[in-house]
Amino acid sequence: MSFKIGDKAVYPVHGVGVIKSIETKEVYGKQQTFYVLSILNNDMTIMVPTDKVKQVGLRELTSVNDIAKVYEILNRKDVEIDNHNWNRRQRKYTEKLKSGSVFEVAEVLRNLYLLKNEKDLSFGEKRMLDTARSLLVKEISAAKRVKEEKVQKDIELIFL
């Protein structure tokens, strides 16, 4: 997978960014080429070696067809959620967020919203819900080229 300057890409856990430049630097005596990615929501800059793109999970924005699948996941309410052990849930959800998969992020968001309807979420659960929501909203917004507020409202309507 190769990117050009100006392309939008998704970096796991940090979300949507823009390829600002492609630079070659000497690392341990070897020339290495990097994508310089500027994350949209927090001004963070990440350098990703071009030969490690798959390893770190850098990927293109999701397609419109995949967005439809994301909404199917969000609308699926007949799922069983382990609401006894937060530590186990947190590890599982953290792995899903780190995977970079838009579908797994959608599962985390759905499960935490459903759990929120059953009980008060802990501080950590609320933070994870906010992270999953932010990642999903930003990616769908960028992929569909619509305002984040619209995507946010669409998602909130699913869980009313």
Side-chain angles (χ1 to χ4, degrees):
M1 180 176 314
S2 62
F3 295 98
K4 301 181 307 289
I5 294 172
D7 284 353
K8 288 187 177 166
V10 178
Y11 190 90
V13 181
H14 296 293
V16 178
V18 176
I19 304 293
K20 290 294 185 187
S21 63
I22 301 171
E23 300 177 6
T24 302
K25 296 189 181 282
E26 188 173 314
V27 179
Y28 299 115
K30 275 179 35 181
Q31 293 294 314
Q32 191 158 13
T33 305
F34 293 87
Y35 292 119
V36 179
L37 183 71
S38 178
I39 302 299
L40 294 181
N41 66 334
N42 63 11
D43 295 330
M44 181 187 296
T45 299
I46 299 173
M47 294 181 70
V48 180
T50 56
D51 61 346
K52 303 277 190 225
V53 166
K54 272 200 189 299
Q55 242 178 311
V56 301
L58 187 68
R59 63 174 174 80
E60 295 174 334
L61 286 174
T62 194
S63 69
V64 175
N65 288 340
D66 284 346
I67 291 171
K69 292 177 191 169
V70 166
Y71 279 107
E72 286 175 21
I73 290 168
L74 294 175
N75 278 296
R76 198 172 306 134
K77 305 291 192 308
D78 59 339
V79 293
E80 195 163 318
I81 299 166
D82 173 13
N83 60 2
H84 297 352
N85 190 334
W86 163 236
N87 288 334
R88 186 176 16 183
R89 241 190 355 262
Q90 182 182 24
R91 275 193 302 272
K92 186 171 121 183
Y93 291 169
T94 299
E95 285 177 27
K96 286 178 179 266
L97 293 178
K98 284 182 178 178
S99 77
S101 164
V102 70
F103 305 120
E104 293 200 354
V105 172
E107 286 178 17
V108 170
L109 181 65
R110 176 202 60 211
N111 292 357
L112 286 171
Y113 259 119
L114 293 175
L115 191 61
K116 182 180 170 184
N117 290 337
E118 291 179 20
K119 69 178 195 87
D120 288 336
L121 298 181
S122 70
F123 176 77
E125 290 168 317
K126 288 176 187 173
R127 233 178 64 216
M128 190 167 282
L129 181 129
D130 289 344
T131 298
R133 180 177 37 226
S134 176
L135 290 170
L136 214 53
V137 165
K138 288 184 184 324
E139 183 166 0
I140 292 171
S141 169
K144 290 178 76 174
R145 297 182 180 166
V146 298
K147 291 187 184 234
E148 289 181 19
E149 294 79 17
K150 182 191 179 335
V151 176
Q152 176 81 30
K153 284 181 185 172
D154 291 345
I155 289 174
E156 285 174 7
L157 286 172
I158 291 171
F159 296 103
L160 285 181

